[in-house]
Amino acid sequence: MDEFSRLFSQPKTPQLKQDGFSDSTDKQQERTSPIKNKEGNQKAPFIVPTSETCTTPLTVSIPTFENVQTLPTPMTYTPLSPGNLSMSPIDQSSLNIPKRRSHARLLDDMLSIAQPNQRVVSELVAPANLLPQRVVSLPTVAEETFNSDSAADSNTSKKSCLSESGDYTDKYDDETLQGFLLDHWDQPLLWRKVRPIGSGNFSNVLLYESMDQSDPKSAQVAVKRLKYPEELSHVEQINTSLRYKETLSRLENSLTRELQVLKSLNHPCIVKLLGINNPIFITSKKPLHDLIKKNPRALPPCDMIMSYCSAGDLLAAVMARNGGLELWLIQRIFAELALAVKYLHESNVIHRDLKLENALLKYTFDDINSFKDSPIYYRQNVIELADFGLCKKIENDEMCTARCGSEDYVSPEILMGVPYDGHLSDTWALGVILYSLFEDRLPFDPPPNASMRQRSRATSHRIARFDWRWYRLSDDTNTGKKIVENTLTRKNQRWSIDEIYDSPFVKDIVDKLDFS
Ligand SMILES: Nc1ncnc2c1ncn2[C@@H]1O[C@H](COP(=O)(O)OP(=O)(O)OP(=O)(O)O)[C@@H](O)[C@H]1O
């Protein structure tokens, strides 16, 4: 019997009531209420589970952590003997998964209670009557030791911050942006807003064009504008509420980590941080605290000025095309992703949020097709990897403990809550991406034509059991399948990024590329 089967076959233990989560009665009520997606549209009401689906199919056992009071997932914590590995303490926060998910849904995931039809995106190519749902992670991960810092997050109205901003934002209005290219803090530059281009849980991304410079690299830029959590906009709570302080510190950690890592990276297949609206976000170790000291009434906006990828993210592009990407295109895109991740791992950075949404396209598929036979094809990268909100700079053998990632891409060891090797959780996510491009579905979604019972099983359950298989490609012999088979597997057998890179599917392409 394998590690996971053993855990799942443990005798049933009573469910613990979870702080902050409703009990089963509340849950039923929540399930009958409509939920809203990020745009505020109502989705179909949740389906009230039947008595059959209300049973918890998964047993939970906490044999060793007697002081554990909450169940983070339907898994057990298994303390490892780290030997000579350097580790940060076990982070018992729950897995950060949901984009557009309610707490009720999160709890149900944790307890594997059935809620058929609740996920909107199951297959990559969503049914016509359903809105696409993206799942993201929260970049508010506590792995560093904070000064009593840990907190929740939510969004806030940016407007409230703008009028009372700090030194560098006086000239800011909604249509123009004053910013600085990195390390050119004495030369303010201006950009004009063109249009919104994307939105995540933690930022809005807008296209700006330069008003006063000729450098082609910054002529068009993507400006990632941080959304401040609501509690940071409550002036009356400033410096008094513990929640306020915790949120501020957590946000500051996540922001400075993303900025410092992005600033240190330089690779064609990775999005570039070109500049910032206020140098203090880069030059200070505690920018938010410094800014609050200067102006205790409000936080000024944080606008990251990034390279712009005009063809949007890979998930949107694949969905717009109804899937069915040609093999050569999948191979090219994946080879570039592998290059980017190899560079990151060699730079001692792990990404921890690799997913289709975070691979940005510089060109549309039609454009790529049109120059496929020209020499430019190998001279120009077609993707940039983005969203470093969960990344981490690590020491050689350092194991991670922060349970973060996006639900469909998270590795079994992260789900299990054991210290994990971030390199291998990144290669797991690469396996999920490649499978999804091949099959037009996520590997751990309910199988096509799944029974109600199969549908009711939580994604996390299937991940923990390595429960995936080929459908479209079942008879195909392409060499990329090997990458999926060797990444969506146990961590002690899983390929590293070097092994992925050396596989013919990737190597055949990267050997021809002229920019890496
Ligand atoms: N440099 C860019 N060029 C073009 N589009 C971009 C760029 N950066 C981000 N976007 C768009 O904005 C979306 C959100 O960006 P990003 O993922 O960085 O934000 P986030 O708030 O960290 O998101 P998440 O909720 O996934 O953590 C992306 O999915 C993409 O569609």
Side-chain angles (χ1 to χ4, degrees):
M1 200 183 283
D2 64 32
E3 192 182 353
F4 295 110
S5 312
R6 236 189 350 266
L7 288 170
F8 290 129
S9 64
Q10 307 245 355
K12 231 177 187 168
T13 53
Q15 289 176 12
L16 303 181
K17 185 165 172 16
Q18 311 237 329
D19 283 340
F21 290 114
S22 50
D23 62 22
S24 58
T25 317
D26 298 336
K27 254 186 286 150
Q28 284 218 359
Q29 266 167 6
E30 278 182 75
R31 251 178 257 133
T32 53
S33 329
I35 50 168
K36 290 195 174 186
N37 67 15
K38 203 165 35 176
E39 288 76 35
N41 301 323
Q42 280 192 355
K43 290 182 187 167
F46 291 177
I47 289 181
V48 181
T50 63
S51 54
E52 188 210 333
T53 56
C54 270
T55 56
T56 305
L58 201 56
T59 56
V60 180
S61 165
I62 306 176
T64 44
F65 277 69
E66 278 158 23
N67 58 343
V68 173
Q69 296 299 311
T70 57
L71 301 180
T73 68
M75 311 295 167
T76 180
Y77 275 109
T78 313
L80 291 183
S81 280
N84 53 5
L85 298 173
S86 65
M87 292 197 319
S88 36
I90 297 252
D91 177 358
Q92 294 181 5
S93 60
S94 60
L95 179 65
N96 292 321
I97 36 179
K99 184 177 236 174
R100 306 182 197 178
R101 282 187 176 204
S102 66
H103 269 180
R105 172 63 182 148
L106 185 58
L107 178 64
D108 290 336
D109 269 357
M110 291 169 176
L111 299 178
S112 294
I113 291 175
Q115 291 196 3
N117 299 339
Q118 207 183 85
R119 287 208 34 224
V120 178
V121 169
S122 177
E123 318 290 290
L124 280 182
V125 181
N129 59 337
L130 297 175
L131 286 168
Q133 178 190 9
R134 291 172 49 214
V135 181
V136 285
S137 41
L138 312 179
T140 46
V141 182
E143 210 151 30
E144 294 84 347
T145 314
F146 300 155
N147 316 321
S148 75
D149 302 334
S150 68
D153 40 72
S154 58
N155 305 334
T156 188
S157 149
K158 194 82 177 172
K159 290 271 177 203
S160 61
C161 306
L162 298 183
S163 54
E164 316 221 29
S165 52
D167 295 346
Y168 285 92
T169 53
D170 292 340
K171 292 201 183 82
Y172 185 101
D173 64 44
D174 206 33
E175 294 306 311
T176 53
L177 166 70
Q178 178 185 269
F180 300 80
L181 296 182
L182 291 183
D183 299 326
H184 292 82
W185 309 134
D186 53 341
Q187 292 169 31
L189 299 169
L190 290 175
W191 285 266
R192 181 187 304 112
K193 183 162 101 182
V194 180
R195 61 185 165 84
I197 48 177
S199 177
N201 274 351
F202 308 99
S203 62
N204 290 319
V205 184
L206 300 112
L207 172 63
Y208 276 76
E209 63 187 13
S210 165
M211 287 168 70
D212 55 4
Q213 77 232 17
S214 53
D215 180 2
K217 274 195 209 135
S218 51
Q220 283 200 313
V221 291
V223 174
K224 182 168 170 169
R225 183 165 298 172
L226 196 68
K227 293 176 186 168
Y228 287 119
E230 199 168 338
E231 49 267 48
L232 297 189
S233 63
H234 292 164
V235 176
E236 66 280 7
Q237 291 186 8
I238 290 180
N239 295 330
T240 55
S241 136
L242 178 62
R243 186 174 163 83
Y244 176 90
K245 287 182 187 166
E246 288 177 344
T247 305
L248 188 72
S249 293
R250 186 168 264 220
L251 181 70
E252 186 165 69
N253 269 301
S254 150
L255 176 66
T256 49
R257 181 171 49 196
E258 179 169 7
L259 287 171
Q260 291 310 322
V261 167
L262 271 175
K263 186 172 182 265
S264 72
L265 301 176
N266 182 16
H267 191 276
C269 301
I270 293 178
V271 75
K272 270 169 210 54
L273 177 69
L274 301 170
I276 193 92
N277 63 327
N278 186 338
I280 199 166
F281 288 114
I282 306 265
T283 54
S284 168
K285 284 197 172 125
K286 296 232 164 224
L288 298 185
H289 281 91
D290 290 350
L291 286 162
I292 286 283
K293 261 187 229 152
K294 268 191 185 171
N295 179 357
R297 291 173 56 78
L299 274 172
C302 174
D303 288 338
M304 303 178 204
I305 302 171
M306 326 270 292
S307 54
Y308 169 53
C309 295
S310 58
D313 69 68
L314 188 53
L315 177 66
V318 172
M319 288 179 73
R321 196 178 140 137
N322 270 345
L325 247 56
E326 293 94 327
L327 184 63
W328 65 266
L329 194 50
I330 297 177
Q331 190 170 5
R332 172 59 187 261
I333 289 168
F334 187 79
E336 288 195 23
L337 266 178
L339 265 179
V341 175
K342 183 170 159 64
Y343 169 80
L344 284 182
H345 288 188
E346 283 169 357
S347 312
N348 292 327
V349 172
I350 48 168
H351 187 279
R352 298 200 290 192
D353 202 14
L354 297 171
K355 56 184 176 179
L356 292 166
E357 297 93 310
N358 288 338
L360 304 179
L361 286 162
K362 290 178 67 186
Y363 309 98
T364 63
F365 293 145
D366 285 345
D367 287 342
I368 300 173
N369 195 25
S370 70
F371 61 75
K372 171 176 171 254
D373 299 320
S374 102
I376 315 171
Y377 183 60
Y378 292 110
R379 278 192 229 130
Q380 189 60 56
N381 59 309
V382 300
I383 64 135
E384 288 184 9
L385 177 63
D387 197 353
F388 284 71
L390 289 177
C391 74
K392 184 170 158 66
K393 188 108 191 157
I394 49 167
E395 304 298 323
N396 292 336
D397 287 335
E398 185 182 342
M399 301 289 271
C400 301
T401 53
R403 309 183 71 228
C404 60
S406 296
E407 181 190 33
D408 297 295
Y409 298 81
V410 83
S411 66
E413 58 274 16
I414 294 181
L415 279 179
M416 294 284 289
V418 297
Y420 62 94
D421 178 343
H423 304 95
L424 291 179
S425 49
D426 273 356
T427 58
W428 170 279
L430 283 178
V432 175
I433 292 174
L434 185 55
Y435 175 97
S436 307
L437 293 174
F438 279 148
E439 292 272 337
D440 294 333
R441 64 182 294 278
L442 289 158
F444 299 102
D445 272 349
N449 305 321
S451 63
M452 280 297 273
R453 196 182 167 79
Q454 282 172 312
R455 287 203 174 271
S456 71
R457 196 165 266 183
T459 300
S460 54
H461 198 171
R462 279 186 286 271
I463 293 174
R465 291 172 163 270
F466 306 95
D467 184 5
W468 67 272
R469 53 173 292 202
W470 295 112
Y471 295 96
R472 277 181 46 179
L473 260 59
S474 56
D475 299 324
D476 197 297
T477 53
N478 96 66
T479 53
K481 283 176 72 179
K482 225 175 155 202
I483 298 177
V484 177
E485 284 154 10
N486 286 287
T487 47
L488 298 188
T489 186
R490 284 162 212 298
K491 59 181 188 288
N492 53 356
Q493 295 162 5
R494 196 175 308 151
W495 275 3
S496 67
I497 191 61
D498 288 336
E499 289 170 294
I500 294 176
Y501 182 86
D502 286 334
S503 72
F505 188 76
V506 170
K507 201 77 174 38
D508 287 355
I509 297 294
V510 293
D511 282 350
K512 293 183 192 144
L513 296 178
D514 226 0
F515 58 82
S516 51

